[in-house]
Amino acid sequence: MPTLTTNEVTLNYETFGDATKPALIFSNSLGTNYGMWQKQFNYFKHDYFVICYDTRGHGNSTAPQGPYRLEQLGNDVIQLLDHLAVEKASFCGISMGGITGQWLAVHHPHRFNHVIVCNTAAKIGQESAWLERAAAVRANGLSQIAATAATRWFTERFIQSQAAVVANLSHDLAAGSVEGYASCCEALAKADLRADLNTVQIPVLVIAGTQDPVTTVADGEFIQQQIANSQLFAIDASHISNIEQPQAFNQAVADFIQR
């Protein structure tokens, strides 16, 4: 696997497709790795130069001592695009990757043609809850978080019908870096873009899961209302909508970036 060492972190990444085609980069959610995008990179690699990476502290990227900041998560994306000599890309991020995408749209709009933010919010949850989770993970590991993740990530019908998929994702979470997970919780604790979104001018698609208990449709509507050149797509899924409803997800993304 190719890697990039920058900003005290080594990022694990993979590319798919022809580097001469338009670039499309995917950013994973908390507690997952870039493998969560398999149904996306297989779909888009024929028409795009697809870039997937493990967020710092996740997958096969390293987990430097935290806490991390949202600015670091965003700048890792810019460094990766620079490394790959990609001047401009479309970006798609989910949950933690979605708030990273909002930060990029605010601070580096010239690097992106489109930004798609999925199952996310301008501020995700409460600072105290994230800091408590970070402390609990550092004290007790990730097994307890992993044991209950499925009910936050997916609808009950998906959990029942796709047990192997759910088990693999839960296993990946349990096997992840404690420091990386906790440090990203600390980044999310401080991340708040509610006052900044009205400066965004580039096209933004907001995908919201109608059954998402973590980041609700109302959270998605807030983002859409703040950004002038944006639209909202509601999808019949819970929090990890790209895995639960890959066909509808892929079609929404494709339609948006082709327009």
Side-chain angles (χ1 to χ4, degrees), residues 9-226:
V9 65
T10 298
L11 295 177
N12 177 65
Y13 71 92
E14 189 60 89
T15 63
F16 307 88
D18 185 345
T20 66
K21 292 185 175 180
L24 172 59
I25 185 166
F26 289 95
S27 182
N28 59 282
S29 61
L30 180 68
T32 66
N33 56 60
Y34 84 70
M36 74 173 301
W37 298 110
Q38 182 178 2
K39 292 287 181 70
Q40 282 68 52
F41 60 68
N42 284 333
Y43 180 86
F44 286 101
K45 67 183 180 182
H46 306 291
D47 298 311
Y48 296 90
F49 178 52
V50 177
I51 305 160
C52 295
Y53 74 101
D54 293 331
T55 297
R56 63 167 60 205
H58 287 68
N60 289 318
S61 292
T62 57
Q65 188 71 33
Y68 306 155
R69 304 185 313 278
L70 181 59
E71 176 185 3
Q72 290 175 298
L73 305 185
N75 281 328
D76 287 344
V77 176
I78 299 300
Q79 293 288 336
L80 181 55
L81 293 178
D82 289 347
H83 173 69
L84 293 169
V86 173
E87 184 177 339
K88 211 162 189 179
S90 293
F91 177 96
C92 181
I94 192 164
S95 193
M96 177 176 68
I99 200 167
T100 301
Q102 293 170 67
W103 186 91
L104 290 166
V106 169
H107 294 281
H108 293 276
H110 61 289
R111 299 300 298 271
F112 298 96
N113 296 306
H114 308 84
V115 169
I116 301 105
V117 299
C118 318
N119 301 87
T120 194
K123 177 173 176 54
I124 303 174
Q126 299 301 314
E127 179 176 357
S128 59
W130 284 119
L131 295 178
E132 287 168 8
R133 186 186 293 194
V137 165
R138 285 200 173 95
N140 304 312
L142 284 163
S143 58
Q144 187 173 353
I145 294 285
T148 59
T151 58
R152 296 186 296 275
W153 284 349
F154 300 113
T155 62
E156 185 59 32
R157 68 169 185 258
F158 187 86
I159 293 170
Q160 295 298 324
S161 64
Q162 301 291 332
V165 173
V166 173
N168 286 338
L169 286 161
S170 299
H171 176 269
D172 285 348
L173 172 52
S177 165
V178 167
E179 179 60 30
Y181 187 98
S183 295
C184 281
C185 287
E186 290 162 337
L188 291 169
K190 301 292 186 183
D192 186 351
L193 292 167
R194 289 175 292 185
D196 302 318
L197 292 179
N198 62 6
T199 66
V200 175
Q201 301 296 318
I202 59 175
V204 173
L205 174 65
V206 184
I207 296 179
T210 59
Q211 302 188 62
D212 186 346
V214 181
T215 50
T216 64
V217 173
D219 289 321
E221 288 172 340
F222 177 84
I223 299 170
Q224 191 273 320
Q225 290 161 2
Q226 299 302 306

Side-chain angles (χ1 to χ4, degrees), residues 205-209 231-236 248-249 251-253:
L205 174 65
V206 184
I207 296 179
Q231 55 189 273
L232 177 73
F233 179 77
I235 191 167
D236 181 20
F249 186 98
Q251 194 63 56
V253 172

